[in-house]
Amino acid sequence: MRIYEKNITFATDFININKGMKFFYRTLLFFVVAISLSLFTSCKSKVKVLEDGLSFCEAVYADDDVIYISNFGVDSLSNIPSNKGYILKYDGEKFDTLQGLEGKLSTPRGLVRAGNFLYVADYNRIHAVNLSSAEPKIISIPLPSEDVVVNHLLVVDDVLLISVSNSNHILALMLKDDGAPQISGIQLYFSVPGPNGMALHNGKLYIGSYNCKGENPTAENVIYVVDDFNNPVPKPFISRVGQYDGLAVDGNWLYFTDWIGGTVGKINLNNSDQIVIINHDFSLIGPAQITFYHGFLCIPDLIQSKIFMIND
C-alpha cells in the first residue's frame, strides 16, 4: 500500500508542474495503480469453502482423488455422543455419503486408510470400514473404558496408532496384510499429555497436545516428537503452548491447527524455532484435523461446520 501511495504522490506532483502533460501522467498513474494492485492480489491465498451437507465436521482425510470427512450429524454439541454420525466422500465436485454406516457412528473423528479398510475414531471405540465390498461393512472395536475421547489415527507400517486425549494414551493395533484389524492386538503403546493430531515424517512421530478438561492449556500442551519407535519417549518439539488439534506434513513443514485464536501455522521440521502463523481473511473458531488435497490445505472448522481449502 505504501508503494501505491508513493506512486500517486509522484504522479500528482508532475501533473501540477506541467499541466500540458496531464494526459500522459494520468495514463502513467493508471498503469502504476494497476501493477500495484495486481501484485497485492497475487500474494493472497486462494480460498475455497465447503459446507453443503456438513454437520460438525471434525476431520478430513485425503485418499488419492477423494476426501473423507467425518461429521457428528447433530444439531448441537450438547447432544453428543449420539448415533447420528456419518462420513462424507468429496471428489472435488460433489459429496456422497458413505453407505452402510447408519446408526453406527457416534462422534466420528480421525480417519485413516489401511489397505481395504477406512478406520474411524469414535467415542470409546474405533471402526474398521471395509471399502472393498459393494456396501461398506463395519467392524466396531471397543476400547478400554478409560479411553473415551478417541481423536486421531495414523498408520505406521502394519500398526494403527490411536490417540486418546482424555487418558493421555497412544494405543496400538496390529493390522493384517489387507489392512484388516487383528482385534486381539490393542495395546497401550506409550503416554503423552492430551494426545490429539499425529503426523509422520522421516521416521519420526509428531503429536499435538490438547487439554480436553475444559481448562486453559498448560506448559504440557505443546507439540511432541518421538524419535525411536522401539523406545517411544515423547519430547517437546516446540515450547509454544496451545490447544493443538490437527497436524499434517508438506515438504519440510509441519502444519498445525490451534483452537486458541483459531490459529493455523507451520513449523520448519529442520529448524523448530521457525514457526510461521498463516494469515487468512476468514474466521476460524474450531480448526480441527487437517489434510492436504491437490495442493490445498483443507481445514475443517468443527464449530462452523465448514471446510476451508487454502493454497498456502
Side-chain angles (χ1 to χ4, degrees):
M1 187 59 71
R2 290 179 180 175
I3 294 174
Y4 174 89
E5 292 171 354
K6 287 175 68 177
N7 281 302
I8 292 177
T9 303
F10 177 82
T12 304
D13 287 344
F14 271 86
I15 291 169
N16 290 334
I17 293 172
N18 190 348
K19 294 182 179 180
M21 299 184 68
K22 186 179 294 185
F23 174 78
F24 171 78
Y25 284 109
R26 280 179 176 171
T27 305
L28 176 63
L29 178 61
F30 171 80
F31 280 107
V32 169
V33 172
I35 292 172
S36 298
L37 290 177
S38 66
L39 288 172
F40 177 77
T41 303
S42 66
C43 294
K44 281 189 174 182
S45 297
K46 296 180 180 179
V47 180
K48 182 177 182 179
V49 182
L50 306 178
E51 54 185 320
D52 292 344
L54 302 180
S55 172
F56 294 104
C57 46
E58 209 280 341
V60 288
Y61 173 72
D63 180 36
D64 294 331
D65 289 329
V66 300
I67 305 175
Y68 291 100
I69 307 163
S70 61
N71 294 266
F72 290 175
V74 293
D75 297 326
S76 169
L77 289 178
S78 62
N79 295 330
I80 62 172
S82 72
N83 60 348
K84 298 181 179 180
Y86 59 93
I87 307 295
L88 290 178
K89 186 167 64 172
Y90 177 69
D91 64 3
E93 296 182 359
K94 67 181 185 305
F95 292 94
D96 290 310
T97 302
L98 207 58
Q99 300 299 314
L101 309 181
E102 295 81 1
K104 298 178 181 178
L105 303 181
S106 177
T107 52
R109 300 177 187 267
L111 304 162
V112 71
R113 184 165 182 174
N116 297 328
F117 291 81
L118 178 70
Y119 283 86
V120 184
D122 205 345
Y123 185 85
N124 190 224
R125 65 190 59 241
I126 62 171
H127 307 284
V129 182
N130 191 341
L131 299 176
S132 64
S133 56
E135 180 174 304
K137 297 180 180 179
I138 185 170
I139 303 170
S140 295
I141 306 169
L143 300 181
S145 59
E146 62 185 320
D147 295 313
V148 176
V149 186
V150 187
N151 255 311
H152 197 54
L153 306 172
L154 183 70
V155 173
V156 181
D157 297 328
D158 58 352
V159 178
L160 176 71
L161 298 182
I162 307 161
S163 70
V164 189
S165 299
N166 73 292
S167 62
N168 302 328
H169 289 167
I170 300 292
L171 305 177
L173 171 66
M174 297 297 295
L175 304 177
K176 300 177 182 178
D177 291 342
D178 65 348
Q182 295 185 22
I183 296 177
S184 61
I186 293 184
Q187 298 177 351
L188 174 61
Y189 188 27
F190 62 89
S191 295
V192 62
N196 198 343
M198 299 181 289
L200 185 67
H201 181 71
N202 285 347
K204 296 181 179 181
L205 175 65
Y206 297 87
I207 308 159
S209 177
Y210 185 96
N211 188 333
C212 65
K213 299 177 182 178
E215 304 169 352
N216 290 329
T218 69
E220 290 186 332
N221 299 119
V222 296
I223 294 177
Y224 293 86
V225 61
V226 171
D227 296 321
D228 185 354
F229 283 95
N230 293 319
N231 182 29
V233 179
K235 299 175 292 186
F237 180 59
I238 59 172
S239 60
R240 180 187 183 276
V241 173
Q243 287 285 63
Y244 293 101
D245 198 323
L247 297 182
V249 172
D250 185 46
N252 290 320
W253 293 93
L254 176 67
Y255 286 74
F256 65 83
T257 59
D258 178 3
W259 280 57
I260 303 298
T263 303
V264 180
K266 60 183 180 180
I267 309 163
N268 190 329
L269 286 165
N270 297 322
N271 178 12
S272 60
D273 291 331
Q274 186 178 359
I275 302 175
V276 179
I277 302 302
I278 300 172
N279 295 320
H280 47 76
D281 56 2
F282 51 89
S283 174
L284 287 172
I285 303 175
Q289 296 180 28
I290 53 180
T291 194
F292 277 93
Y293 177 70
H294 292 179
F296 284 85
L297 176 62
C298 303
I299 311 164
D301 191 307
L302 173 67
I303 303 301
Q304 298 189 74
S305 295
K306 295 180 180 180
I307 296 173
F308 297 91
M309 302 175 66
I310 67 172
N311 187 1
D312 174 45

